[in-house]
Amino acid sequence: MNQKIKDITKAFKPISLQEMDEVSLMNRSDTKFLLPLRQTSEILLDVLNDYSVLEINQDRIMTYNSLYFDTPKHDFYLCHHNGKFNRIKVRIRNYVESKIHFLEVKRKNGKGITKKSRISLEGFERTLSEGSKKFVSQTTKGEFNLKPILENRFNRITLVSKANKERATLDFNLSFKNKTHHKVYNGLAIIEIKQEGVDRNSSIYTALKKRHILPYSISKYCLGMVSLYEGIKYNNFKQKLLKIQTLTA
């Protein structure tokens, strides 16, 4: 399946990282979709003429490594689980093919708008430096005792609309680990459409809707937490885990 996806991406017109940054959408509306990996090939073919694909050093399928931080009581995770507004995520992300690291803070407000702020780092920090702590504090307007809580790795294809200010990402080969556990989700894909405002008539939105694939709220961070940590509160995510089991069966 991965080879088939790779072959299809070769048919897209490429776009460079510099060109894509013009559609960076740091403040945006995100709409996610959960689907079997096997279905992504036909969706990519549907939108082939409407999007360009990000290419870096002749690579069109990128690798992302992320190290997430949370408090010892998992406050960031629990805010998401409990459906609270103004949620926060803190991570260091390694964009492998670009050979860069960013400390990223994502904030989501009650209107569904995601704001992402980031600074460049030399590499992963298992213990956040004073500069990194200051950045998190200034961005979140809060003080947190943050510890590395889980690592996440996945592959991503990034599409950029030729007609609209819109990007879409296709994530697959998801894996998570902490000090004691490791979990891989084979056969699962997450598509995320990033727009200034939700446009349900965009090409990829239409391709998904045509196949009765509807928007579905899913967080890779939260999925990793419930997959790795025994005894953690996850009542509100049980239905999501059942859906993933069905999609990947």
Side-chain angles (χ1 to χ4, degrees):
M1 177 58 65
N2 287 357
Q3 184 59 50
K4 185 176 182 180
I5 292 172
K6 186 176 182 179
D7 291 340
I8 294 172
T9 63
K10 292 178 181 178
F12 281 82
K13 179 182 177 181
I15 188 171
S16 69
L17 185 61
Q18 183 177 2
E19 291 172 311
M20 191 192 75
D21 281 346
E22 297 176 7
V23 196
S24 59
L25 294 170
M26 299 298 276
N27 299 334
R28 68 203 187 208
S29 295
D30 297 336
T31 309
K32 294 181 181 179
F33 301 81
L34 202 61
L35 64 156
L37 181 60
R38 62 180 178 272
Q39 238 181 328
T40 58
S41 297
E42 58 191 72
I43 291 168
L44 288 172
L45 288 171
D46 262 15
V47 303
L48 180 59
N49 296 319
D50 300 317
Y51 294 81
S52 301
V53 65
L54 175 63
E55 180 179 277
I56 299 175
N57 297 327
Q58 298 184 331
D59 289 314
R60 298 187 176 194
I61 299 178
M62 310 302 172
T63 306
Y64 286 44
N65 291 334
S66 299
L67 176 64
Y68 284 88
F69 292 80
D70 206 336
T71 68
K73 292 184 178 180
H74 304 153
D75 290 319
F76 293 169
Y77 164 78
L78 290 173
C79 279
H80 197 294
H81 176 274
N82 296 336
K84 291 188 176 181
F85 297 145
N86 302 313
R87 299 194 294 266
I88 296 170
K89 287 178 189 170
V90 176
R91 70 188 178 210
I92 295 175
R93 174 162 283 179
N94 172 213
Y95 297 79
V96 175
E97 283 73 22
S98 303
K99 299 180 181 178
I100 54 178
H101 294 75
F102 284 106
L103 171 60
E104 301 181 339
V105 178
K106 293 182 71 176
R107 294 161 292 155
K108 190 168 187 177
N109 64 25
K111 296 180 180 179
I113 302 300
T114 299
K115 294 185 178 182
K116 185 168 77 171
S117 305
R118 67 185 188 181
I119 56 172
S120 179
L121 297 180
E122 292 298 319
F124 283 110
E125 296 178 354
R126 298 285 166 176
T127 300
L128 291 176
S129 67
E130 290 304 314
S132 294
K133 290 178 184 177
K134 183 178 180 180
F135 171 74
V136 173
S137 177
Q138 290 177 338
T139 304
T140 62
K141 311 300 182 186
E143 297 290 338
F144 304 99
N145 177 22
L146 296 180
K147 306 291 183 184
I149 201 77
L150 70 81
E151 294 181 52
N152 167 224
R153 183 181 179 92
F154 59 92
N155 291 120
R156 169 172 287 182
I157 297 167
T158 300
L159 303 178
V160 181
S161 172
K162 295 179 180 179
N164 306 305
K165 195 166 185 180
E166 174 194 74
R167 286 188 288 125
T169 56
L170 166 59
D171 296 345
F172 55 102
N173 294 338
L174 276 75
S175 67
F176 304 91
K177 68 177 182 178
N178 59 13
K179 292 180 179 179
T180 56
H181 293 83
H182 182 241
K183 176 67 176 180
V184 178
Y185 283 96
N186 292 317
L188 180 69
I190 299 173
I191 290 179
E192 184 171 6
I193 303 175
K194 309 166 197 288
Q195 303 167 314
E196 284 188 320
V198 177
D199 177 9
R200 295 178 177 84
N201 295 315
S202 77
S203 294
I204 195 162
Y205 207 120
T206 301
L208 290 159
K209 186 166 54 177
K210 183 171 71 174
R211 294 168 175 82
H212 308 289
I213 301 171
L214 303 177
Y216 197 82
S217 176
I218 185 75
S219 160
K220 287 192 286 292
Y221 172 60
C222 292
L223 176 59
M225 290 294 289
V226 299
S227 301
L228 301 180
Y229 285 89
E230 297 177 0
I232 198 169
K233 184 178 181 181
Y234 76 102
N235 291 357
N236 292 340
F237 293 148
K238 285 182 179 178
Q239 196 63 38
K240 297 181 189 296
L241 292 175
L242 290 173
K243 182 176 179 67
I244 288 171
Q245 290 176 6
T246 301
L247 291 174
T248 57

